[in-house]
Amino acid sequence: MQTLVINTHPTPGNKEHFSQKLLDMFLEKYDGRFDRKDLEILNLYAANVPRLDANMLSMWEAQASGREMTAKELEIEAAQKQLLQQFKRNHRIVIAAPTHNFMITSAMKDYMDNILIARETFRYTQTGSEGLMNDDYKMLLLVASGSIYTNNDRYTPLEMQHYYVKEMFTNIMAFNAFDIVRAQGTATLPAAQVLDSAKEQLDRAFVSFYQ
């Protein structure tokens, strides 16, 4: 199964981080069932991910108007096209993420600005928008957090990361399924307890993810 793993941590591969521990768990399960040739790993902080700035806005304007692009605009267009093609050819998307200030990392926001493209992953309609990624696309969020956000207390509505990711993938792009595996309470609970709980969640999620 074609799978894209997106690592959103600023220091990918650091075994001390729980989002990396979650990713390693996933990869171990993946290797037990599939061939690595069908898996791509994108480390966002080591990749060429254009930022939504004046240059990207200018590139979009050039695309819309048909004017000749500058060298910088052509560079941004090529990088964005490559990210979009990679994203769309993988029907299983895994995001390994820390929780920074209750939200996605800045590199993940940059990435979303390169894949949430009208007429590519969604389209505008007279009644709002319609997702275009509805051909058996599934998304799995592996998220680590120092706090616990599932106790229905004051912290629960503050954790915006999974709300944002879920809505963008399922509501806007029309992914067929979304699931989440949490390694939470890493700042207060024993590591073994956190990882045991995460492993149980992943065991369940992995089955439905690849059905």
Side-chain angles (χ1 to χ4, degrees):
M1 176 65 70
Q2 292 294 123
T3 301
L4 173 62
V5 171
I6 303 169
N7 192 337
T8 77
H9 202 285
T11 56
N14 188 328
K15 303 293 185 180
E16 297 301 313
H17 297 301
F18 279 84
S19 62
Q20 183 65 48
K21 295 178 190 292
L22 281 174
L23 178 52
D24 289 342
M25 279 186 194
F26 172 84
L27 292 175
E28 182 179 357
K29 291 186 73 66
Y30 184 94
D31 289 339
R33 181 171 173 184
F34 300 110
D35 193 318
R36 276 286 181 107
K37 69 178 178 61
D38 294 323
L39 181 138
E40 298 182 71
I41 297 179
L42 177 63
N43 293 315
L44 290 185
Y45 281 88
N48 179 17
V49 181
R51 176 168 294 181
L52 204 171
D53 58 9
N55 289 315
M56 184 181 287
L57 292 176
S58 179
M59 182 270 290
W60 284 341
E61 183 277 326
Q63 288 178 331
S65 66
R67 72 162 169 80
E68 184 175 353
M69 291 192 191
T70 66
K72 183 62 176 179
E73 290 165 352
L74 287 170
E75 178 185 336
I76 294 171
E77 182 184 52
Q80 189 171 93
K81 182 178 180 180
Q82 184 176 9
L83 290 170
L84 266 170
Q85 288 177 339
Q86 180 188 54
F87 181 71
K88 293 170 74 173
R89 70 173 171 259
N90 289 281
H91 282 241
R92 297 294 183 270
I93 306 294
V94 180
I95 297 176
T99 303
H100 286 177
N101 292 322
F102 310 103
M103 193 49 169
I104 58 175
T105 62
S106 59
M108 183 61 191
K109 178 56 169 64
D110 292 337
Y111 182 77
M112 296 299 289
D113 290 332
N114 284 274
I115 61 169
L116 285 171
I117 304 296
R119 297 179 298 280
E120 291 285 353
T121 55
F122 74 99
R123 64 186 171 198
Y124 292 108
T125 69
Q126 291 184 339
T127 58
S129 67
E130 179 182 22
L132 300 176
M133 306 287 287
N134 56 4
D135 182 21
D136 190 35
Y137 283 93
K138 295 183 179 182
M139 189 263 158
L140 177 62
L141 178 61
L142 309 176
V143 61
S145 61
S147 298
I148 297 174
Y149 294 107
T150 55
N151 287 336
N152 292 319
D153 56 17
R154 64 184 287 252
Y155 290 103
T156 299
L158 295 178
E159 195 267 287
M160 307 302 288
Q161 173 161 230
H162 93 275
Y163 290 116
Y164 173 76
V165 172
K166 179 182 179 182
E167 291 304 311
M168 293 304 102
F169 277 79
T170 61
N171 192 339
I172 300 301
M173 291 188 284
F175 268 56
N176 300 100
F178 167 90
D179 208 345
I180 182 170
V181 173
R182 293 181 181 272
Q184 59 178 343
T186 64
T188 57
L189 299 177
Q193 179 180 340
V194 171
L195 294 174
D196 284 347
S197 174
K199 185 179 184 303
E200 291 179 7
Q201 298 170 56
L202 181 58
D203 287 344
R204 294 191 296 268
F206 193 88
V207 174
S208 60
F209 191 56
Y210 283 113
Q211 279 182 342

